[in-house]
């Protein structure tokens, strides 16, 4: 009872620790890297590759730079492009190009300014001055707009005519662009991001996006970009091709035109869908998302927490109920199932239910509980080995305990040495003792017998009243097993000298032990029924050993001729005559052990190993 209470206390404390670890993982954001990795995988593998058809990109690519000349270009080039696009009926023209300083050609600046003044659908971007280029400003607070100390505008002659927007990229801590600030609060007012501004000028209703719930732990008006298309998915036309008139006007009619760098190494960033993408396509993706009405939403934080509680409870409970392999399969299936569920929820509804924390809690729960279960099972196995080692050979117990197979009925034919032993004078002694004293005496006797047998690598088959049967060479092979059987008998008789003297002095009764030994082929194994199994040996040679024992005199050790021939080099013998045994047609030659002469070469080594195990 006490042990059961202690076990339940340890299990409860262990699972409290598991829950505490899970809470720390949830609260600390330590799993953010894994969550981002899963998010990026889902984003990349659910892309439609179909941006809104009203978006086209005019790229400043390598061929355009070769044709027009090294960058920066004469701003008359941009004026010419605007003129061509406006004639073609472009709905919105958005320059993802910084025009923050005056050029060395004032007439070219004026030409571009004059062209800008003719139209109200052209965006020339500004850039908010935030603290840090790759991380969020210290002024970015949850639930509030991103606030900039200042903002860099295009030169005044451009700014007074062009539509305003910001082109600040929103980098996560790992440098990946997953989100964007739809609005930035600046000293000159609130600036919309270029993609949002372009969609607004194209007639899209942007109000729902401005009213979207704030992303978890992010500033107000920040959205997750729904990366639907890579660079190669957008229709992209080289700048020089448009400038040379090589594109039909229908390619731009009623469309949003983004102009930006597409030459290698220019204005690039990392996104969930591409390691290197030109940032003009980030603005294009945002505009496409708004025109299509797509939103990436995040499930309430309590949903992963609730799922984590359920997973902790289920895995924690079933780890104790199931076998090791089944619990591993359960944990792996739960892990894969949750991640697959997250994927399909995102694919079907663009809703993010972050399962990484849930999966981690499941793994922590499994590892914690399987560690406790292994500890208690090992402890129990050791206990069983120790307890049953008192009844049968510890080697046999270890063999059974280490086997994952069910004990099967059946046996094998094998050469064994069998020792039978009987305590003489026990009946008159038991008449003088109280019942508890009888049990105490027997236990003392059997302790002596057991100790000597196990030291000599015997397997105690059974105790029958005041008799015992001991096997050698089973279940494990024992070289020179006849020697160890006779050595056991010799050691028992030596140990009995003191026992016999003590009993005679205390009770006035003489007790003795008779021991018979035989070597031969027997059937040994698990014999019985499916309800009760005994590991024992049967056969004619077993019966012979028992009958040899019945022919012994008090304190005598008799062995068969077979055993004698196998051990005569190690023990002194006297020929004890021939006896006709029951069931035998030929008398058996018997030999009495009278002394010890030596030992096989392996005996000293095996004795040292046995002593080491016993300690």
């Amino acid at each position: 009872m006490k042990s059961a209470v202690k076990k339940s206390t340890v299990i409860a404390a262990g699972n409290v620790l598991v829950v505490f670890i899970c809470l720390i993982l949830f609260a600390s954001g330590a799993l953010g890297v894994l969550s981002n990795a899963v998010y990026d995988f889902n984003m990349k593998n659910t892309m439609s590759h179909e941006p809104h058809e009203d978006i086209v990109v005019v790229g400043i690519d390598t061929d355009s730079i070769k044709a027009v000349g090294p960058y920066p270009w004469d701003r008359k080039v941009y004026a010419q492009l605007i003129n061509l696009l406006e004639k073609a009926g472009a709905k919105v023209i958005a320059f993802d190009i910084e025009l923050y300083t005056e050029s060395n050609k004032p007439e070219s600046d004026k030409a571009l300014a004059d062209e800008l003044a003719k139209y109200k659908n052209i965006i020339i971007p500004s850039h908010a001055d935030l603290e840090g280029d790759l991380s969020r400003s210290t002024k970015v607070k949850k639930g509030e707009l991103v606030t900039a100390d200042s903002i860099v505008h295009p030169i005044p002659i451009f700014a007074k005519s062009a539509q305003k927007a910001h082109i600040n990229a929103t980098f996560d801590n790992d440098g990946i662009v997953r989100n964007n600030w739809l609005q930035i609060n600046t000293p000159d007012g609130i600036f919309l991001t270029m993609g949002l501004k372009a969609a607004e000028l194209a007639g899209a209703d942007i109000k729902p996006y401005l009213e979207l719930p704030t992303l978890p732990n992010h500033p107000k008006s920040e959205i997750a970009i729904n990366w639907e298309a890579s660079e190669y998915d957008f229709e992209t036309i080289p700048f020089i091709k448009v400038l040379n008139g090589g594109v039909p006007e229908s390619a731009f009619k009623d469309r949003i035109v983004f102009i930006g760098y597409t030459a290698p190494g220019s204005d690039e960033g990392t996104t969930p869908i591409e390691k290197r993408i030109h940032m003009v396509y980030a603005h294009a993706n945002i505009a496409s998302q708004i025109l299509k009405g797509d939103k990436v939403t995040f499930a309430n934080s309590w949903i992963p927490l609730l799922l984590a509680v359920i997973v902790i409870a289920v895995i924690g409970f079933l780890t104790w109920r199931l076998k090791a392999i089944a619990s591993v399969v359960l944990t792996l299936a739960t892990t894969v199932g949750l991640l697959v569920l997250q994927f399909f929820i995102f694919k079907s509804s663009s809703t993010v239910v972050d399962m990484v924390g849930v999966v981690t809690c499941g793994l922590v729960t499994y590892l914690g509980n399987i560690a406790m279960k292994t500890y208690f099972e090992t402890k129990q196995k050791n206990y069983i080995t120790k307890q049953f080692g008192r009844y049968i050979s510890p080697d046999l117990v270890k063999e059974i305990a280490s086997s994952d197979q069910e004990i099967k009925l059946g046996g094998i034919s094998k050469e064994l040495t069998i020792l039978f032993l009987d305590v003489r004078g026990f009946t008159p002694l038991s008449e003088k003792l109280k019942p508890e004293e009888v049990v105490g005496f027997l236990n003392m006797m059997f302790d002596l017998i057991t100790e000597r047998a196990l030291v000599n690598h015997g397997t105690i088959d059974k105790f029958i009243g005041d008799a015992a049967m001991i096997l050698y060479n089973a279940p494990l092979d024992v070289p020179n097993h006849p020697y160890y059987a006779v050595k056991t008998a010799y050691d028992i008789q030596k140990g009995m000298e003191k026992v016999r003297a003590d009993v005679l002095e205390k009770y006035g009764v003489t007790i003795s032990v008779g021991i018979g030994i035989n070597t031969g082929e027997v059937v040994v194994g698990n014999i019985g029924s499916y309800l009760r199994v005994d590991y024992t040996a049967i056969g004619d040679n077993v019966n012979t050993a028992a009958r040899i024992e019945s022919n012994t005199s008090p304190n005598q050790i008799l062995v068969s001729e077979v055993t004698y021939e196998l051990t005569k080099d190690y023990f002194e013998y006297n020929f004890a005559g021939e006896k006709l045994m029951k069931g035998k047609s030929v008398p058996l030659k018997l030999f009495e052990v009278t002394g010890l002469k030596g030992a096989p070469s392996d005996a000293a080594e095996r004795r040292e190993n046995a002593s080491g195990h016993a300690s």
Side-chain angles (χ1 to χ4, degrees), residues 21 42 63 69 75 124 130 163 170 177 225 230 238 240 265 270 320 337 344 393 401 427 435 462 491 498 503 568:
I21 292 172
N42 291 344
D63 291 339
R75 287 173 179 169
I124 302 294
L130 301 174
Q163 296 289 333
T170 307
V177 179
I225 302 173
S230 65
I240 189 62
T270 303
W320 290 93
F344 280 105
S393 166
T427 301
K462 59 176 70 72
D491 290 345
K498 184 177 184 304
V503 171
K568 62 184 179 181

Side-chain angles (χ1 to χ4, degrees), residues 482-483 486 559 562-571 573:
Y483 162 79
V486 179
V559 305
V562 175
T563 305
Y564 164 75
E565 291 294 338
L566 293 170
T567 60
K568 62 184 179 181
D569 293 336
Y570 313 123
F571 298 95
Y573 286 102

Side-chain angles (χ1 to χ4, degrees), residues 411-423:
I412 59 171
S413 179
K414 187 176 185 181
E415 182 186 80
L416 265 62
T417 299
I418 305 97
L419 181 154
F420 274 89
L421 174 152
D422 183 45
V423 180

